[in-house]
Amino acid sequence: MCTASNYITKDHYFGRNFDYEISYNERVTITPRNYKFEYRLIDDIESHYAIIGVAAGVDGYPLYYDACNEKGLSIAGLNFEGNAVYLEEKEGMVNVTPFEFIPYILGTYSNVSEVKKALENINLVNINFSEELPLSPLHWMISDDTGAIVVEPLKDGLKVYDNPVGVLTNNPPFDKQLFTLNDYRSLSNRNPENTFSKDFDLDEYSRGMGAIGLPGDLSSSSRFAKVAFTRANSFSSDGEEESVSQFFHILGSVEQQNGCTFINDPDLYEYTIYTSCYNTNKAVLYYRTYSNSQITAVKLMSEDLDSAELINYRLETEEQIAYIN
């Protein structure tokens, strides 16, 4: 289960918590402009926008979990168990598989407006990557500095929603997630007035009482409400370090600690394996991992983007502590 968010100061920031019980040797993967994308049902694409993101450790093909391209368009795929439906090939449509969706979108389009128009003709086809890697049930948040959308594959085709809160978790579908925020409309970052009764002199005994009722558990709906409130009320200056730091604090409000979410296995718990943060305007990927709280950065524009070979960097997973005495 995961949480994605955007955040805008001077630049546009986008990223996610990747929450799962096991790692697939995730790594930072850069796809240069001339890497050949081979598709199952549409023509291969030999030249496209350069992409940086976090992908599974599968040699030869970038199975991106989240990424952004050199034009500032970003996307993350989140688990959508029980709701995602992939269809059969449809004549007259652009038939791409779910594992091809992120490379196709980021390699082809430069902004959310272009993507919204293209989605009218895209069909997500039920073809596995391999026998060993079946499709994951996913929905996606796509974002740039003009706004965000959510794309959900349902039995009657793709649903595309504008995303005014800049947040996505897993279930239920996005329109229902958005509706649940009505239950928290009375919350505030300021302490409330006493409206309980004029007959009782109730004590304002603590700061933060305006957010009483904000959920703190790790379910999808609760994480959606928690990070939506945190993002909406976040404040930072617009410098790069301050903005990046604040973004990690936003997603840190719903990170999962190892041991708190039990999976049906005596040795497995869901936890936040990594948190990503993209400055999409500058094409820089910042990340932290569960065992390394130091922020690591990788710059797309520092690479040879006209090459044809994937560029990979392993995630830094060992804690790095700065001793001062």
Side-chain angles (χ1 to χ4, degrees), residues 16-193:
R16 59 99 61 78
N17 286 344
F18 180 75
D19 304 330
Y20 206 57
E21 63 269 22
I22 54 174
S23 169
Y24 288 95
N25 299 313
E26 294 79 19
R27 57 197 183 189
V28 175
T29 298
I30 293 171
T31 303
R33 300 181 185 115
N34 294 314
Y35 171 86
K36 184 178 180 180
F37 278 125
E38 296 181 354
Y39 293 96
R40 300 295 176 90
L41 296 174
I42 64 173
D43 292 339
D44 297 342
I45 298 178
E46 297 191 10
S47 182
H48 47 77
Y49 295 130
I51 302 168
I52 184 171
V54 180
V58 176
D59 291 334
Y61 193 89
L63 291 174
Y64 282 116
Y65 301 172
D66 50 87
C68 83
N69 68 16
E70 61 182 295
K71 295 296 184 179
L73 183 67
S74 54
I75 182 170
L78 281 69
N79 194 37
F80 196 39
E81 185 74 40
N83 286 300
V85 177
Y86 305 130
L87 305 176
E88 298 304 311
E89 182 180 2
K90 289 185 179 180
E91 186 176 353
M93 300 288 284
V94 178
N95 293 284
V96 295
T97 69
F99 64 84
E100 297 168 338
F101 184 65
I102 290 181
Y104 178 76
I105 292 296
L106 294 185
T108 309
Y109 304 105
S110 63
N111 56 57
V112 168
S113 179
E114 291 179 359
V115 173
K116 288 178 71 173
K117 185 174 181 180
L119 286 168
E120 297 174 4
N121 297 308
I122 290 178
N123 178 47
L124 291 180
V125 185
N126 188 23
I127 298 176
N128 292 328
F129 180 77
S130 66
E131 290 185 5
E132 295 77 21
L133 289 175
L135 294 176
S136 298
L138 300 173
H139 58 174
W140 295 266
M141 179 172 164
I142 304 173
S143 183
D144 64 14
D145 56 11
T146 68
I149 59 174
V150 171
V151 180
E152 297 189 332
L154 303 175
K155 62 182 179 180
D156 55 345
L158 289 184
K159 299 294 183 183
V160 181
Y161 303 97
D162 290 325
N163 187 344
V165 297
V167 175
L168 182 67
T169 58
N170 307 103
N171 282 310
F174 179 71
D175 56 340
K176 294 181 174 61
Q177 288 191 3
L178 198 59
F179 184 81
T180 62
L181 293 185
N182 289 295
D183 295 338
Y184 307 105
R185 67 186 303 271
S186 64
L187 301 189
S188 171
N189 61 359
R190 301 175 183 271
N191 273 10
E193 298 293 327

Side-chain angles (χ1 to χ4, degrees), residues 220-236:
S220 297
S221 293
S222 293
R223 283 185 284 109
F224 184 83
K226 178 70 178 293
V227 79
F229 178 86
T230 305
R231 175 193 176 278
N233 290 285
S234 284
F235 172 79
S236 70

Side-chain angles (χ1 to χ4, degrees), residues 128-311:
N128 292 328
F129 180 77
S130 66
E131 290 185 5
E132 295 77 21
L133 289 175
L135 294 176
S136 298
L138 300 173
H139 58 174
W140 295 266
M141 179 172 164
I142 304 173
S143 183
D144 64 14
D145 56 11
T146 68
I149 59 174
V150 171
V151 180
E152 297 189 332
L154 303 175
K155 62 182 179 180
D156 55 345
L158 289 184
K159 299 294 183 183
V160 181
Y161 303 97
D162 290 325
N163 187 344
V165 297
V167 175
L168 182 67
T169 58
N170 307 103
N171 282 310
F174 179 71
D175 56 340
K176 294 181 174 61
Q177 288 191 3
L178 198 59
F179 184 81
T180 62
L181 293 185
N182 289 295
D183 295 338
Y184 307 105
R185 67 186 303 271
S186 64
L187 301 189
S188 171
N189 61 359
R190 301 175 183 271
N191 273 10
E193 298 293 327
N194 175 18
T195 59
F196 186 89
S197 172
K198 63 181 180 180
D199 297 327
F200 301 111
D201 184 18
L202 299 179
D203 186 21
E204 187 178 305
Y205 61 86
S206 173
R207 295 177 180 178
M209 295 176 70
I212 291 177
L214 184 66
D217 64 87
L218 298 174
S219 66
S220 297
S221 293
S222 293
R223 283 185 284 109
F224 184 83
K226 178 70 178 293
V227 79
F229 178 86
T230 305
R231 175 193 176 278
N233 290 285
S234 284
F235 172 79
S236 70
S237 63
D238 61 7
E240 183 70 356
E241 290 78 12
E242 296 90 342
S243 299
V244 170
S245 175
Q246 186 69 1
F247 186 88
F248 279 102
H249 284 299
I250 291 170
L251 286 181
S253 69
V254 291
E255 70 178 13
Q256 298 203 43
Q257 293 75 34
N258 197 0
C260 292
T261 304
F262 177 74
I263 307 299
N264 291 325
D265 186 296
D267 298 318
L268 292 179
Y269 299 88
E270 183 171 281
Y271 65 101
T272 301
I273 293 174
Y274 73 83
T275 300
S276 60
C277 169
Y278 299 83
N279 179 325
T280 68
N281 300 96
K282 295 181 173 65
V284 178
L285 165 58
Y286 302 90
Y287 72 85
R288 297 190 313 199
T289 58
Y290 190 83
S291 298
N292 180 20
S293 55
Q294 182 185 59
I295 296 172
T296 303
V298 185
K299 299 178 180 179
L300 176 64
M301 297 304 178
S302 294
E303 303 292 342
D304 177 9
L305 299 184
D306 290 320
S307 71
E309 301 296 327
L310 295 177
I311 302 162

